[in-house]
C-alpha cells in the first residue's frame, strides 16, 4: 500500500517513468515517509528501490 501511495503521489506531481519516480521518492522527507508507513500500520522499511516502483 505504501508503494502504491508513493507512486500515485509521484504521478500527481508530474513524474513519468520509473527513474523519475524513484528520484521523487528519494526526495520525500524521512519524517513524511515514516508517517506514511505508520498510517498504513506497517513498520517503516525505508524507501522502495527503483525496481520495486
Amino acid at each position: 500500500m505504501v508503494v502504491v501511495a508513493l507512486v500515485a503521489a509521484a504521478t500527481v506531481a508530474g513524474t513519468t517513468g520509473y527513474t523519475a519516480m524513484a528520484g521523487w521518492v528519494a526526495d520525500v522527507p524521512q519524517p513524511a515517509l515514516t508517517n506514511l508507513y505508520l498510517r498504513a500500520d506497517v513498520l517503516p522499511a525505508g524507501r522502495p528501490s527503483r525496481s520495486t516502483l
Side-chain angles (χ1 to χ4, degrees):
M1 184 166 118
V2 173
V3 174
V4 173
L6 289 169
V7 168
T11 303
V12 169
T15 61
T16 56
Y18 299 114
T19 303
M21 287 181 190
W24 188 90
V25 169
D27 291 339
V28 173
Q30 186 60 43
L33 189 61
T34 301
N35 189 26
L36 183 61
Y37 275 105
L38 293 176
R39 285 178 179 261
D41 202 25
V42 294
L43 294 176
R47 299 176 194 286
S49 66
R50 183 173 65 104
S51 59
T52 301
L53 297 174

